[in-house]
Amino acid sequence: MAVGTDRRQHIVLLPFLAQGHIIPFLALARRIAQRHPGRFTLTLVSTPLNVRSLRSSLPPDSGVLLRELPFRGADHGLPPGAEGTDSVSHGLLFKVFQASASLRPEFEGLVAEDIPREDGCPPICIIADVFMGWTVHVARQLGVFHAAFSTCGGFGSAVYFAMWLHLPHRHAASEEDEFGVPSFPETFRLHLSQTSPALKNVHDQDPRVIFFREQITLCCSSDAMLCNTAKALEPTGTALLQKNTGVPVFSIGPILPPVTRSSAGRAGKVLGIAPEACIEWLDAHPPRSVLYVSFGSQNSVSAQQMLQLAAGLEASGRSFIWVIRPPFGFDLKGQFRAEWLPEGFEERVRSSGRGLLVRDWAPQLEILAHGSVGAFMSHCGWNSTLESLARGVPLIGWPMAAEQFYNVKMLEEEMGVCVELARGLVQEVDPAEVGRVVGMVMGEEKGKEMRRRAAEAAEVIRVATREEGAEKGPSLAALEAFLESVQKGTPATGNAAA
Ligand code: UDP
C-alpha cells in the first residue's frame, strides 16, 4: 500500500538480539498497530533467524511487518546460527553486542531507501533498543524522530546506565564492600556481589565499557526514551531515569505480550511442553500451591547450584514447574544430562505429581496467569518481573546478570514483593535455605503480606494500562502523547519526572 496516499506513517523498530528485548519490542509494535491500524505502519527489523522465528508465531492480522537485515556473525567470532544472546555461551555474549552494531549500513539502507521505495513514504520514527544507540546517527542523518526503548524498568535502567558510565564499584574500599552510585541519593548503596559479571574487572579502556558508554550516551541525546514500566509502579526509578538521562522519558508499560494457548512459543521459540499439557497439570493443583521456577531466556545456574536447587525444591514439599536447561558453562542448546539432577529426582517428582520439569522453554505467561501458581523463583529479568507482578504473583529472586540485581533490590526493599534467595553463579545454595524461603514466600505470614503487595502492584499495572471509553491509564496516555509528538515532529515531553 502506498503510504503517501492514505497518510499512514511508518515507524521502524530495532530490538537488540535477545529474547528479553525482542519480546517487548514486538509487543510494543503490536500495541501501536492494534490501537492505530490506519495511522501507522509498524516494521520490526531483526536478523534472518530471529525474523523467521517471529514470523512463525505472529498472527497474520498482527499489523506488524517484519524485515530482515543480513547478519555476518562469523565476522565477529560468532558460530553459525548464533543470532542472539540465547544461542551463545556467556564468553561470546559481548560479540553479539559488537555484531549488532555492524548492522548499521544495512539498517541505514533499509530506512533511507528500501522502505520509502516500497512503501512510498519514508519512516518518520526509529524506535531502537538502548543497546543500539548508534541508530541516533541514522535518525539524525535522515531527519527522523528517534526514540530509545529500554526494555528494563526505570530503576534498573538508571542504575545500569550509571554503573557503566561511572564504574563506581572500582572504588569499593570499605570493609563491607559496599559502594555508592554517582547521581543517586547518598543512602543508596550496592554490595560488590550485586555487580554484574560483565562489570567485574573492567576499566575505562575496556572495549565493553567503551561500547556501553557510547550506546548509553547516544541514547541520552535521543528525542525520547520509552521505558517498559508504569510510573506509579516505580516512581523513584522513573524519576531517576528522567533526571540522569536528561531525555524525556515516557513510562508506557507494562507492555506485555498477549496470553495465548498457541503451540508456538513466545517469539517463535520451540516450547518444551504444549501449553495445554501445562495448564492441565496446573488445573490439577489447588490455588496458589505451585512454585514456578525459571531464569529467563539466556541464564542458567551452575551445575552445583542446580543439584542444590533440586534438593531444595524437594525439601520445600511444594509443587513446582521448573524450566531446566544445561547449567552455566555448558552449551545451553545442548542435550540435558541426567547427572545434572540428583539421582532419581526426575522420576520421583513425576511419579508423585509434585513437579513438572520443562526443557528449555515454557509458556511462561500462560503459567503465571494460572491461579494455581503461588510464587515465581526468577532471575528477575524485567519482563519476568512484570509478567509476575501483572498477575499478582510474588517473587523469589536469584539475580545473575545485568540489571537483575537492582531489580531485586527494589522489589524486595521498596515494593515488598520479593525475597532474595541467592546471588549470581558462585554462591553455594543450601537446600534447606531454598526450602525455608519457598515455604516463607508461599506461606501464611510473610507470604500473605507479599501476596497483598503483589496484588497491589497488579492493580497499579491494571490502572496504568486501562482504557475505559475516552479515559486512558497513565501509561497508555504516555504512549499516545509519544505518538502525537512523533507524528507532529514536535519536541516530546515525557511523563516520568517526579
Ligand atoms: N520466557 C518464556 N519461556 C521461558 C523463559 C522465558 O516465555 O521458558 C520469556 C519470558 O516470558 C520473558 C522473556 O522470555 O518474556 C525473558 O525476559 P526477561 O527480561 O525476564 O529475562 P532475560 O531473558 O532477558 O534475561
Side-chain angles (χ1 to χ4, degrees), residues 291 309 312-313 315-316 318 375-377 394-398 412 418-422 429-443 446-447 450-451:
L291 172 73
L309 173 57
L313 291 176
S316 77
R318 304 274 170 171
F376 180 10
M377 185 185 293
L395 293 134
I396 296 173
W398 187 336
E412 181 162 0
C418 178
V419 170
E420 187 175 26
L421 168 67
V429 181
D430 178 4
E433 179 64 2
V434 175
R436 189 188 71 78
V437 172
V438 171
M440 178 168 71
V441 175
M442 297 185 76
K446 188 171 172 75
M450 289 176 72
R451 284 193 292 279

PDB file of all heavy atoms in Angstrom, residues 291 309 312-313 315-316 318 375-377 394-398 412 418-422 429-443 446-447 450-451:
ATOM      1  N   LEU A 291       4.946 -23.513  42.751  1.00  0.00           N
ATOM      2  CA  LEU A 291       6.057 -22.582  42.541  1.00  0.00           C
ATOM      3  C   LEU A 291       6.523 -22.716  41.094  1.00  0.00           C
ATOM      4  O   LEU A 291       6.733 -23.833  40.610  1.00  0.00           O
ATOM      5  CB  LEU A 291       7.208 -22.949  43.483  1.00  0.00           C
ATOM      6  CG  LEU A 291       8.523 -22.196  43.267  1.00  0.00           C
ATOM      7  CD1 LEU A 291       8.404 -20.747  43.743  1.00  0.00           C
ATOM      8  CD2 LEU A 291       9.675 -22.890  44.007  1.00  0.00           C
ATOM      9  N   LEU A 309      19.583 -26.718  44.161  1.00  0.00           N
ATOM     10  CA  LEU A 309      18.225 -26.210  43.969  1.00  0.00           C
ATOM     11  C   LEU A 309      17.234 -27.362  43.902  1.00  0.00           C
ATOM     12  O   LEU A 309      16.153 -27.316  44.509  1.00  0.00           O
ATOM     13  CB  LEU A 309      18.162 -25.355  42.687  1.00  0.00           C
ATOM     14  CG  LEU A 309      16.799 -24.866  42.239  1.00  0.00           C
ATOM     15  CD1 LEU A 309      16.099 -24.045  43.332  1.00  0.00           C
ATOM     16  CD2 LEU A 309      16.917 -24.013  40.972  1.00  0.00           C
ATOM     17  N   GLY A 312      16.645 -28.623  47.231  1.00  0.00           N
ATOM     18  CA  GLY A 312      15.858 -27.637  47.976  1.00  0.00           C
ATOM     19  C   GLY A 312      14.385 -27.683  47.594  1.00  0.00           C
ATOM     20  O   GLY A 312      13.505 -27.554  48.446  1.00  0.00           O
ATOM     21  N   LEU A 313      14.127 -27.868  46.307  1.00  0.00           N
ATOM     22  CA  LEU A 313      12.726 -27.934  45.868  1.00  0.00           C
ATOM     23  C   LEU A 313      12.053 -29.162  46.476  1.00  0.00           C
ATOM     24  O   LEU A 313      10.906 -29.099  46.913  1.00  0.00           O
ATOM     25  CB  LEU A 313      12.647 -27.965  44.337  1.00  0.00           C
ATOM     26  CG  LEU A 313      13.061 -26.669  43.619  1.00  0.00           C
ATOM     27  CD1 LEU A 313      13.039 -26.856  42.099  1.00  0.00           C
ATOM     28  CD2 LEU A 313      12.144 -25.502  44.006  1.00  0.00           C
ATOM     29  N   ALA A 315      12.991 -30.505  49.266  1.00  0.00           N
ATOM     30  CA  ALA A 315      12.879 -30.238  50.701  1.00  0.00           C
ATOM     31  C   ALA A 315      11.709 -29.306  51.008  1.00  0.00           C
ATOM     32  O   ALA A 315      11.143 -29.358  52.102  1.00  0.00           O
ATOM     33  CB  ALA A 315      14.186 -29.612  51.210  1.00  0.00           C
ATOM     34  N   SER A 316      11.347 -28.469  50.066  1.00  0.00           N
ATOM     35  CA  SER A 316      10.278 -27.489  50.329  1.00  0.00           C
ATOM     36  C   SER A 316       8.918 -28.163  50.488  1.00  0.00           C
ATOM     37  O   SER A 316       8.015 -27.617  51.112  1.00  0.00           O
ATOM     38  CB  SER A 316      10.193 -26.466  49.185  1.00  0.00           C
ATOM     39  OG  SER A 316       9.547 -27.030  48.054  1.00  0.00           O
ATOM     40  N   ARG A 318       6.789 -28.393  48.324  1.00  0.00           N
ATOM     41  CA  ARG A 318       5.800 -27.703  47.484  1.00  0.00           C
ATOM     42  C   ARG A 318       5.801 -28.278  46.071  1.00  0.00           C
ATOM     43  O   ARG A 318       6.809 -28.824  45.622  1.00  0.00           O
ATOM     44  CB  ARG A 318       6.144 -26.207  47.377  1.00  0.00           C
ATOM     45  CG  ARG A 318       6.251 -25.516  48.702  1.00  0.00           C
ATOM     46  CD  ARG A 318       4.897 -25.051  49.167  1.00  0.00           C
ATOM     47  NE  ARG A 318       4.965 -24.588  50.552  1.00  0.00           N
ATOM     48  CZ  ARG A 318       3.983 -23.970  51.167  1.00  0.00           C
ATOM     49  NH1 ARG A 318       2.852 -23.753  50.530  1.00  0.00           N
ATOM     50  NH2 ARG A 318       4.104 -23.574  52.420  1.00  0.00           N
ATOM     51  N   ALA A 375       3.980 -18.535  43.529  1.00  0.00           N
ATOM     52  CA  ALA A 375       5.220 -17.749  43.607  1.00  0.00           C
ATOM     53  C   ALA A 375       6.084 -18.086  42.399  1.00  0.00           C
ATOM     54  O   ALA A 375       5.905 -19.130  41.765  1.00  0.00           O
ATOM     55  CB  ALA A 375       5.977 -18.055  44.891  1.00  0.00           C
ATOM     56  N   PHE A 376       6.998 -17.186  42.111  1.00  0.00           N
ATOM     57  CA  PHE A 376       7.868 -17.338  40.932  1.00  0.00           C
ATOM     58  C   PHE A 376       9.313 -17.173  41.399  1.00  0.00           C
ATOM     59  O   PHE A 376       9.710 -16.107  41.868  1.00  0.00           O
ATOM     60  CB  PHE A 376       7.487 -16.253  39.919  1.00  0.00           C
ATOM     61  CG  PHE A 376       8.275 -16.252  38.619  1.00  0.00           C
ATOM     62  CD1 PHE A 376       9.133 -17.276  38.262  1.00  0.00           C
ATOM     63  CD2 PHE A 376       8.117 -15.190  37.730  1.00  0.00           C
ATOM     64  CE1 PHE A 376       9.842 -17.255  37.063  1.00  0.00           C
ATOM     65  CE2 PHE A 376       8.813 -15.150  36.525  1.00  0.00           C
ATOM     66  CZ  PHE A 376       9.677 -16.186  36.193  1.00  0.00           C
ATOM     67  N   MET A 377      10.099 -18.253  41.291  1.00  0.00           N
ATOM     68  CA  MET A 377      11.538 -18.128  41.558  1.00  0.00           C
ATOM     69  C   MET A 377      12.177 -17.719  40.241  1.00  0.00           C
ATOM     70  O   MET A 377      12.128 -18.459  39.258  1.00  0.00           O
ATOM     71  CB  MET A 377      12.131 -19.442  42.054  1.00  0.00           C
ATOM     72  CG  MET A 377      13.602 -19.280  42.456  1.00  0.00           C
ATOM     73  SD  MET A 377      14.380 -20.844  42.916  1.00  0.00           S
ATOM     74  CE  MET A 377      13.532 -21.266  44.416  1.00  0.00           C
ATOM     75  N   PRO A 394       4.052 -13.093  43.819  1.00  0.00           N
ATOM     76  CA  PRO A 394       5.299 -12.648  44.441  1.00  0.00           C
ATOM     77  C   PRO A 394       6.509 -13.438  43.935  1.00  0.00           C
ATOM     78  O   PRO A 394       6.359 -14.539  43.410  1.00  0.00           O
ATOM     79  CB  PRO A 394       5.081 -12.888  45.933  1.00  0.00           C
ATOM     80  CG  PRO A 394       3.978 -13.876  46.027  1.00  0.00           C
ATOM     81  CD  PRO A 394       3.169 -13.788  44.764  1.00  0.00           C
ATOM     82  N   LEU A 395       7.678 -12.860  44.141  1.00  0.00           N
ATOM     83  CA  LEU A 395       8.886 -13.442  43.547  1.00  0.00           C
ATOM     84  C   LEU A 395       9.895 -13.912  44.588  1.00  0.00           C
ATOM     85  O   LEU A 395       9.978 -13.370  45.697  1.00  0.00           O
ATOM     86  CB  LEU A 395       9.565 -12.374  42.675  1.00  0.00           C
ATOM     87  CG  LEU A 395       8.763 -11.976  41.430  1.00  0.00           C
ATOM     88  CD1 LEU A 395       8.728 -10.464  41.274  1.00  0.00           C
ATOM     89  CD2 LEU A 395       9.336 -12.626  40.191  1.00  0.00           C
ATOM     90  N   ILE A 396      10.657 -14.920  44.194  1.00  0.00           N
ATOM     91  CA  ILE A 396      11.842 -15.324  44.943  1.00  0.00           C
ATOM     92  C   ILE A 396      13.004 -14.995  44.011  1.00  0.00           C
ATOM     93  O   ILE A 396      13.083 -15.538  42.911  1.00  0.00           O
ATOM     94  CB  ILE A 396      11.798 -16.826  45.279  1.00  0.00           C
ATOM     95  CG1 ILE A 396      10.608 -17.093  46.223  1.00  0.00           C
ATOM     96  CG2 ILE A 396      13.112 -17.284  45.912  1.00  0.00           C
ATOM     97  CD1 ILE A 396      10.345 -18.565  46.497  1.00  0.00           C
ATOM     98  N   GLY A 397      13.852 -14.052  44.423  1.00  0.00           N
ATOM     99  CA  GLY A 397      14.848 -13.513  43.499  1.00  0.00           C
ATOM    100  C   GLY A 397      16.176 -14.267  43.525  1.00  0.00           C
ATOM    101  O   GLY A 397      16.690 -14.621  44.588  1.00  0.00           O
ATOM    102  N   TRP A 398      16.686 -14.492  42.330  1.00  0.00           N
ATOM    103  CA  TRP A 398      18.024 -15.073  42.184  1.00  0.00           C
ATOM    104  C   TRP A 398      18.680 -14.360  41.000  1.00  0.00           C
ATOM    105  O   TRP A 398      18.756 -14.905  39.890  1.00  0.00           O
ATOM    106  CB  TRP A 398      17.925 -16.569  41.953  1.00  0.00           C
ATOM    107  CG  TRP A 398      19.246 -17.293  41.960  1.00  0.00           C
ATOM    108  CD1 TRP A 398      20.491 -16.777  41.701  1.00  0.00           C
ATOM    109  CD2 TRP A 398      19.444 -18.683  42.234  1.00  0.00           C
ATOM    110  NE1 TRP A 398      21.442 -17.748  41.797  1.00  0.00           N
ATOM    111  CE2 TRP A 398      20.834 -18.935  42.125  1.00  0.00           C
ATOM    112  CE3 TRP A 398      18.587 -19.733  42.540  1.00  0.00           C
ATOM    113  CZ2 TRP A 398      21.366 -20.201  42.331  1.00  0.00           C
ATOM    114  CZ3 TRP A 398      19.128 -20.988  42.740  1.00  0.00           C
ATOM    115  CH2 TRP A 398      20.509 -21.216  42.644  1.00  0.00           C
ATOM    116  N   GLU A 412      12.473  -6.060  46.596  1.00  0.00           N
ATOM    117  CA  GLU A 412      12.475  -6.512  47.991  1.00  0.00           C
ATOM    118  C   GLU A 412      12.357  -5.333  48.958  1.00  0.00           C
ATOM    119  O   GLU A 412      11.493  -5.314  49.815  1.00  0.00           O
ATOM    120  CB  GLU A 412      13.769  -7.302  48.273  1.00  0.00           C
ATOM    121  CG  GLU A 412      13.818  -7.824  49.698  1.00  0.00           C
ATOM    122  CD  GLU A 412      14.827  -8.940  49.923  1.00  0.00           C
ATOM    123  OE1 GLU A 412      15.511  -9.341  48.965  1.00  0.00           O
ATOM    124  OE2 GLU A 412      14.920  -9.420  51.066  1.00  0.00           O
ATOM    125  N   CYS A 418       9.272  -9.409  46.970  1.00  0.00           N
ATOM    126  CA  CYS A 418      10.318 -10.375  46.602  1.00  0.00           C
ATOM    127  C   CYS A 418      11.203 -10.676  47.811  1.00  0.00           C
ATOM    128  O   CYS A 418      11.418  -9.802  48.660  1.00  0.00           O
ATOM    129  CB  CYS A 418      11.153  -9.745  45.474  1.00  0.00           C
ATOM    130  SG  CYS A 418      12.541 -10.732  44.904  1.00  0.00           S
ATOM    131  N   VAL A 419      11.695 -11.903  47.881  1.00  0.00           N
ATOM    132  CA  VAL A 419      12.751 -12.241  48.842  1.00  0.00           C
ATOM    133  C   VAL A 419      13.914 -12.769  48.023  1.00  0.00           C
ATOM    134  O   VAL A 419      13.729 -13.634  47.156  1.00  0.00           O
ATOM    135  CB  VAL A 419      12.270 -13.330  49.838  1.00  0.00           C
ATOM    136  CG1 VAL A 419      13.434 -13.853  50.661  1.00  0.00           C
ATOM    137  CG2 VAL A 419      11.193 -12.776  50.756  1.00  0.00           C
ATOM    138  N   GLU A 420      15.096 -12.238  48.270  1.00  0.00           N
ATOM    139  CA  GLU A 420      16.263 -12.690  47.512  1.00  0.00           C
ATOM    140  C   GLU A 420      16.781 -13.988  48.124  1.00  0.00           C
ATOM    141  O   GLU A 420      17.077 -14.041  49.304  1.00  0.00           O
ATOM    142  CB  GLU A 420      17.352 -11.616  47.528  1.00  0.00           C
ATOM    143  CG  GLU A 420      18.510 -11.945  46.618  1.00  0.00           C
ATOM    144  CD  GLU A 420      19.529 -10.803  46.544  1.00  0.00           C
ATOM    145  OE1 GLU A 420      19.619 -10.024  47.511  1.00  0.00           O
ATOM    146  OE2 GLU A 420      20.229 -10.721  45.532  1.00  0.00           O
ATOM    147  N   LEU A 421      16.898 -15.011  47.304  1.00  0.00           N
ATOM    148  CA  LEU A 421      17.367 -16.308  47.785  1.00  0.00           C
ATOM    149  C   LEU A 421      18.870 -16.457  47.587  1.00  0.00           C
ATOM    150  O   LEU A 421      19.590 -16.959  48.449  1.00  0.00           O
ATOM    151  CB  LEU A 421      16.640 -17.426  47.028  1.00  0.00           C
ATOM    152  CG  LEU A 421      17.186 -18.842  47.186  1.00  0.00           C
ATOM    153  CD1 LEU A 421      16.980 -19.342  48.617  1.00  0.00           C
ATOM    154  CD2 LEU A 421      16.543 -19.801  46.202  1.00  0.00           C
ATOM    155  N   ALA A 422      19.348 -16.051  46.428  1.00  0.00           N
ATOM    156  CA  ALA A 422      20.766 -16.232  46.102  1.00  0.00           C
ATOM    157  C   ALA A 422      21.171 -15.152  45.121  1.00  0.00           C
ATOM    158  O   ALA A 422      20.314 -14.442  44.581  1.00  0.00           O
ATOM    159  CB  ALA A 422      20.971 -17.608  45.486  1.00  0.00           C
ATOM    160  N   VAL A 429      24.268 -22.788  47.380  1.00  0.00           N
ATOM    161  CA  VAL A 429      22.885 -22.606  47.808  1.00  0.00           C
ATOM    162  C   VAL A 429      22.493 -23.786  48.691  1.00  0.00           C
ATOM    163  O   VAL A 429      22.494 -24.928  48.247  1.00  0.00           O
ATOM    164  CB  VAL A 429      21.959 -22.526  46.569  1.00  0.00           C
ATOM    165  CG1 VAL A 429      20.520 -22.321  46.994  1.00  0.00           C
ATOM    166  CG2 VAL A 429      22.396 -21.387  45.668  1.00  0.00           C
ATOM    167  N   ASP A 430      22.196 -23.474  49.937  1.00  0.00           N
ATOM    168  CA  ASP A 430      21.850 -24.525  50.888  1.00  0.00           C
ATOM    169  C   ASP A 430      20.420 -25.008  50.607  1.00  0.00           C
ATOM    170  O   ASP A 430      19.477 -24.217  50.655  1.00  0.00           O
ATOM    171  CB  ASP A 430      21.960 -23.917  52.302  1.00  0.00           C
ATOM    172  CG  ASP A 430      21.581 -24.915  53.371  1.00  0.00           C
ATOM    173  OD1 ASP A 430      21.309 -26.079  53.022  1.00  0.00           O
ATOM    174  OD2 ASP A 430      21.536 -24.509  54.556  1.00  0.00           O
ATOM    175  N   PRO A 431      20.256 -26.309  50.325  1.00  0.00           N
ATOM    176  CA  PRO A 431      18.905 -26.813  50.037  1.00  0.00           C
ATOM    177  C   PRO A 431      17.898 -26.476  51.142  1.00  0.00           C
ATOM    178  O   PRO A 431      16.741 -26.175  50.866  1.00  0.00           O
ATOM    179  CB  PRO A 431      19.108 -28.323  49.913  1.00  0.00           C
ATOM    180  CG  PRO A 431      20.542 -28.489  49.521  1.00  0.00           C
ATOM    181  CD  PRO A 431      21.277 -27.357  50.177  1.00  0.00           C
ATOM    182  N   ALA A 432      18.369 -26.499  52.390  1.00  0.00           N
ATOM    183  CA  ALA A 432      17.451 -26.197  53.498  1.00  0.00           C
ATOM    184  C   ALA A 432      16.979 -24.740  53.403  1.00  0.00           C
ATOM    185  O   ALA A 432      15.821 -24.425  53.706  1.00  0.00           O
ATOM    186  CB  ALA A 432      18.154 -26.436  54.838  1.00  0.00           C
ATOM    187  N   GLU A 433      17.879 -23.867  52.967  1.00  0.00           N
ATOM    188  CA  GLU A 433      17.526 -22.456  52.822  1.00  0.00           C
ATOM    189  C   GLU A 433      16.516 -22.277  51.675  1.00  0.00           C
ATOM    190  O   GLU A 433      15.584 -21.474  51.773  1.00  0.00           O
ATOM    191  CB  GLU A 433      18.811 -21.642  52.562  1.00  0.00           C
ATOM    192  CG  GLU A 433      18.634 -20.154  52.357  1.00  0.00           C
ATOM    193  CD  GLU A 433      18.077 -19.412  53.576  1.00  0.00           C
ATOM    194  OE1 GLU A 433      17.859 -20.041  54.624  1.00  0.00           O
ATOM    195  OE2 GLU A 433      17.844 -18.199  53.425  1.00  0.00           O
ATOM    196  N   VAL A 434      16.710 -23.042  50.604  1.00  0.00           N
ATOM    197  CA  VAL A 434      15.742 -22.994  49.497  1.00  0.00           C
ATOM    198  C   VAL A 434      14.364 -23.373  50.047  1.00  0.00           C
ATOM    199  O   VAL A 434      13.364 -22.661  49.832  1.00  0.00           O
ATOM    200  CB  VAL A 434      16.125 -23.967  48.348  1.00  0.00           C
ATOM    201  CG1 VAL A 434      15.046 -23.987  47.269  1.00  0.00           C
ATOM    202  CG2 VAL A 434      17.468 -23.586  47.743  1.00  0.00           C
ATOM    203  N   GLY A 435      14.322 -24.470  50.792  1.00  0.00           N
ATOM    204  CA  GLY A 435      13.052 -24.934  51.359  1.00  0.00           C
ATOM    205  C   GLY A 435      12.439 -23.878  52.267  1.00  0.00           C
ATOM    206  O   GLY A 435      11.236 -23.617  52.218  1.00  0.00           O
ATOM    207  N   ARG A 436      13.290 -23.241  53.093  1.00  0.00           N
ATOM    208  CA  ARG A 436      12.788 -22.238  54.042  1.00  0.00           C
ATOM    209  C   ARG A 436      12.190 -21.033  53.309  1.00  0.00           C
ATOM    210  O   ARG A 436      11.086 -20.584  53.600  1.00  0.00           O
ATOM    211  CB  ARG A 436      13.938 -21.771  54.958  1.00  0.00           C
ATOM    212  CG  ARG A 436      13.490 -20.897  56.125  1.00  0.00           C
ATOM    213  CD  ARG A 436      14.678 -20.311  56.880  1.00  0.00           C
ATOM    214  NE  ARG A 436      15.386 -19.286  56.112  1.00  0.00           N
ATOM    215  CZ  ARG A 436      14.974 -18.034  55.957  1.00  0.00           C
ATOM    216  NH1 ARG A 436      13.848 -17.647  56.506  1.00  0.00           N
ATOM    217  NH2 ARG A 436      15.671 -17.178  55.228  1.00  0.00           N
ATOM    218  N   VAL A 437      12.931 -20.520  52.309  1.00  0.00           N
ATOM    219  CA  VAL A 437      12.468 -19.326  51.598  1.00  0.00           C
ATOM    220  C   VAL A 437      11.191 -19.624  50.796  1.00  0.00           C
ATOM    221  O   VAL A 437      10.243 -18.842  50.807  1.00  0.00           O
ATOM    222  CB  VAL A 437      13.594 -18.753  50.698  1.00  0.00           C
ATOM    223  CG1 VAL A 437      13.068 -17.650  49.806  1.00  0.00           C
ATOM    224  CG2 VAL A 437      14.742 -18.234  51.558  1.00  0.00           C
ATOM    225  N   VAL A 438      11.188 -20.781  50.149  1.00  0.00           N
ATOM    226  CA  VAL A 438       9.983 -21.146  49.386  1.00  0.00           C
ATOM    227  C   VAL A 438       8.790 -21.243  50.340  1.00  0.00           C
ATOM    228  O   VAL A 438       7.699 -20.707  50.069  1.00  0.00           O
ATOM    229  CB  VAL A 438      10.191 -22.470  48.609  1.00  0.00           C
ATOM    230  CG1 VAL A 438       8.886 -22.963  48.006  1.00  0.00           C
ATOM    231  CG2 VAL A 438      11.247 -22.288  47.520  1.00  0.00           C
ATOM    232  N   GLY A 439       9.012 -21.883  51.479  1.00  0.00           N
ATOM    233  CA  GLY A 439       7.933 -22.032  52.468  1.00  0.00           C
ATOM    234  C   GLY A 439       7.459 -20.666  52.956  1.00  0.00           C
ATOM    235  O   GLY A 439       6.255 -20.426  53.117  1.00  0.00           O
ATOM    236  N   MET A 440       8.406 -19.763  53.176  1.00  0.00           N
ATOM    237  CA  MET A 440       8.055 -18.434  53.688  1.00  0.00           C
ATOM    238  C   MET A 440       7.220 -17.663  52.659  1.00  0.00           C
ATOM    239  O   MET A 440       6.181 -17.095  52.968  1.00  0.00           O
ATOM    240  CB  MET A 440       9.349 -17.671  53.996  1.00  0.00           C
ATOM    241  CG  MET A 440       9.132 -16.273  54.497  1.00  0.00           C
ATOM    242  SD  MET A 440      10.654 -15.592  55.144  1.00  0.00           S
ATOM    243  CE  MET A 440      11.577 -15.359  53.648  1.00  0.00           C
ATOM    244  N   VAL A 441       7.699 -17.647  51.399  1.00  0.00           N
ATOM    245  CA  VAL A 441       7.018 -16.837  50.381  1.00  0.00           C
ATOM    246  C   VAL A 441       5.654 -17.435  50.020  1.00  0.00           C
ATOM    247  O   VAL A 441       4.715 -16.708  49.693  1.00  0.00           O
ATOM    248  CB  VAL A 441       7.926 -16.683  49.125  1.00  0.00           C
ATOM    249  CG1 VAL A 441       7.196 -15.955  48.013  1.00  0.00           C
ATOM    250  CG2 VAL A 441       9.210 -15.942  49.496  1.00  0.00           C
ATOM    251  N   MET A 442       5.545 -18.759  50.128  1.00  0.00           N
ATOM    252  CA  MET A 442       4.256 -19.367  49.773  1.00  0.00           C
ATOM    253  C   MET A 442       3.395 -19.608  51.013  1.00  0.00           C
ATOM    254  O   MET A 442       2.281 -20.127  50.913  1.00  0.00           O
ATOM    255  CB  MET A 442       4.493 -20.679  49.012  1.00  0.00           C
ATOM    256  CG  MET A 442       5.222 -20.431  47.701  1.00  0.00           C
ATOM    257  SD  MET A 442       5.404 -21.888  46.705  1.00  0.00           S
ATOM    258  CE  MET A 442       3.764 -22.097  46.034  1.00  0.00           C
ATOM    259  N   GLY A 443       3.901 -19.193  52.157  1.00  0.00           N
ATOM    260  CA  GLY A 443       3.217 -19.475  53.421  1.00  0.00           C
ATOM    261  C   GLY A 443       2.228 -18.394  53.818  1.00  0.00           C
ATOM    262  O   GLY A 443       1.890 -17.497  53.044  1.00  0.00           O
ATOM    263  N   LYS A 446       4.653 -14.001  56.247  1.00  0.00           N
ATOM    264  CA  LYS A 446       5.271 -13.054  55.308  1.00  0.00           C
ATOM    265  C   LYS A 446       4.676 -13.225  53.905  1.00  0.00           C
ATOM    266  O   LYS A 446       4.444 -12.252  53.188  1.00  0.00           O
ATOM    267  CB  LYS A 446       6.787 -13.264  55.273  1.00  0.00           C
ATOM    268  CG  LYS A 446       7.493 -12.185  54.455  1.00  0.00           C
ATOM    269  CD  LYS A 446       8.985 -12.262  54.608  1.00  0.00           C
ATOM    270  CE  LYS A 446       9.682 -11.322  53.638  1.00  0.00           C
ATOM    271  NZ  LYS A 446       9.638  -9.928  53.984  1.00  0.00           N
ATOM    272  N   GLY A 447       4.421 -14.481  53.551  1.00  0.00           N
ATOM    273  CA  GLY A 447       3.887 -14.773  52.219  1.00  0.00           C
ATOM    274  C   GLY A 447       2.573 -14.044  51.961  1.00  0.00           C
ATOM    275  O   GLY A 447       2.333 -13.521  50.880  1.00  0.00           O
ATOM    276  N   MET A 450       3.272 -10.487  51.263  1.00  0.00           N
ATOM    277  CA  MET A 450       3.862 -10.340  49.920  1.00  0.00           C
ATOM    278  C   MET A 450       2.801 -10.472  48.835  1.00  0.00           C
ATOM    279  O   MET A 450       2.816  -9.755  47.846  1.00  0.00           O
ATOM    280  CB  MET A 450       4.967 -11.389  49.712  1.00  0.00           C
ATOM    281  CG  MET A 450       6.213 -11.110  50.523  1.00  0.00           C
ATOM    282  SD  MET A 450       7.419 -12.426  50.320  1.00  0.00           S
ATOM    283  CE  MET A 450       7.982 -12.138  48.652  1.00  0.00           C
ATOM    284  N   ARG A 451       1.880 -11.395  49.035  1.00  0.00           N
ATOM    285  CA  ARG A 451       0.811 -11.558  48.042  1.00  0.00           C
ATOM    286  C   ARG A 451      -0.077 -10.318  48.000  1.00  0.00           C
ATOM    287  O   ARG A 451      -0.516  -9.899  46.940  1.00  0.00           O
ATOM    288  CB  ARG A 451      -0.020 -12.812  48.363  1.00  0.00           C
ATOM    289  CG  ARG A 451       0.670 -14.106  47.991  1.00  0.00           C
ATOM    290  CD  ARG A 451      -0.286 -15.283  48.020  1.00  0.00           C
ATOM    291  NE  ARG A 451      -0.743 -15.609  49.371  1.00  0.00           N
ATOM    292  CZ  ARG A 451      -0.048 -16.323  50.251  1.00  0.00           C
ATOM    293  NH1 ARG A 451       1.152 -16.769  49.928  1.00  0.00           N
ATOM    294  NH2 ARG A 451      -0.522 -16.588  51.440  1.00  0.00           N
TER     295      ARG A 451
END
